[in-house]
Amino acid sequence: MKKKRCFMAIAVSLVMTISFGSLSAFAAVHNIKDAKWYRQTASNWCWAAVSETMIDKETPNFTSNGFANRQARIVYAAHNNTNNTVGTSTDMIKAMKSISPTAFKNADWNNLTTSSHWKTIMNEILADDVVAIGLFNAKPPEFQTGSLKGHTTFAYWVDSSADNILLGDPWNSSNFIDVYKNDLMNTGIYCHEFPGVTVYGGPYVIY
C-alpha cells in the first residue's frame, strides 16, 4: 500500500512539473489580441493614435464625443484645442485619465534606461496591458535637450525569454516593428516615420 501511494505521489509530481514547465514556456510569449492599430489622423498625432489604441482597449463604447474623430477628442483633452501639435507622455496620461479615469488611474511614465525598465515593459505586456513607447533619435535622457525627431509606438506582443517585443507604428502602415532589448536600448532601430534615421527607446507609458 505504501509503495502504491509513493508511486502515485511521484506520478502527480511529474505531471505537475511538466504542466508548470509548459505554463512557464507559454507565459513567456503573449499577444494582446484586442490592441487595435489606428493610423494617426494628423502628422503630429502619433501620440494620440497610440492613446486611442490604449483607451479603446480599456474603455467600452469609447466614442469621438462630438469631435471629428477620437484622436481629436484625445488631443483636446490634453491641450484644450485640436491643433496638429506634438504630445508628451504627460499629455497622453492626462488625456487617458480624463476620458477613462478608472482604467488609467495608475498610469505613469518613465524613461527606458535600465534593464529593470525593460523588464517592467515586458511584464506589462504579459499582463495584457498595452505599453506606449516613444522613439527618439537620441538615447534618454539626451533626447530631452534640443530639437530632435520623436515618434510614439505601442508594444503589444512579447517573448520575454528572448527579450523581444513587437511595436505597432501608427504612421502609415499597420506593419509591426520587430524589436529586441539591445536594439531598442543600445544599437537603435528604424521606424516608419523616419526611414534611415536611427532611433532609440525613450519614455514609456504604463497603466
Side-chain angles (χ1 to χ4, degrees):
M1 189 67 177
K2 290 183 179 179
K3 288 184 179 181
K4 186 175 181 180
R5 287 178 178 174
C6 181
F7 173 77
M8 290 178 65
I10 293 172
V12 170
S13 177
L14 287 171
V15 170
M16 290 178 67
T17 301
I18 293 169
S19 298
F20 288 140
S22 299
L23 181 60
S24 296
F26 176 77
V29 178
H30 183 66
N31 177 42
I32 303 176
K33 296 180 180 179
D34 53 348
K36 299 177 181 178
W37 175 86
Y38 296 101
R39 178 182 283 114
Q40 60 192 81
T41 58
S43 59
N44 289 317
W45 283 6
C46 53
W47 62 279
V50 170
S51 297
E52 182 177 14
T53 293
M54 299 172 79
I55 297 171
D56 179 80
K57 179 183 181 300
E58 302 297 340
T59 310
N61 303 316
F62 172 39
T63 69
S64 61
N65 200 34
F67 289 89
N69 52 55
R70 297 194 300 187
Q71 290 178 33
R73 180 184 177 185
I74 290 166
V75 173
Y76 189 86
H79 294 320
N80 205 35
N81 62 61
T82 55
N83 297 333
N84 181 19
T85 52
V86 299
T88 64
S89 299
T90 301
D91 292 328
M92 294 179 68
I93 292 173
K94 179 181 177 182
M96 291 189 292
K97 286 187 174 182
S98 172
I99 294 170
S100 190
T102 300
F104 298 102
K105 64 180 180 180
N106 296 319
D108 199 3
W109 72 276
N110 209 333
N111 286 320
L112 177 56
T113 57
T114 68
S115 293
S116 177
H117 295 151
W118 174 262
K119 186 175 181 180
T120 294
I121 290 171
M122 292 197 300
N123 285 339
E124 288 290 316
I125 304 169
L126 287 172
D128 208 49
D129 289 341
V130 177
V131 180
I133 299 182
L135 305 175
F136 286 83
N137 61 329
K139 298 177 183 178
E142 288 82 357
F143 72 84
Q144 294 176 340
T145 61
S147 178
L148 301 174
K149 297 180 183 295
H151 187 52
T152 307
T153 61
F154 65 94
Y156 64 93
W157 180 94
V158 63
D159 180 353
S160 61
S161 65
D163 279 331
N164 183 203
I165 62 175
L166 297 182
L167 300 177
D169 186 337
W171 178 241
N172 62 5
S173 170
S174 59
N175 292 336
F176 58 80
I177 307 173
D178 194 358
V179 176
Y180 289 84
K181 174 185 176 182
N182 188 59
D183 298 332
L184 198 60
M185 297 185 67
N186 298 305
T187 59
I189 64 171
Y190 297 117
C191 65
H192 297 111
E193 183 173 4
F194 306 122
V197 176
T198 302
V199 292
Y200 307 88
Y204 64 91
V205 176
I206 59 175
Y207 59 94

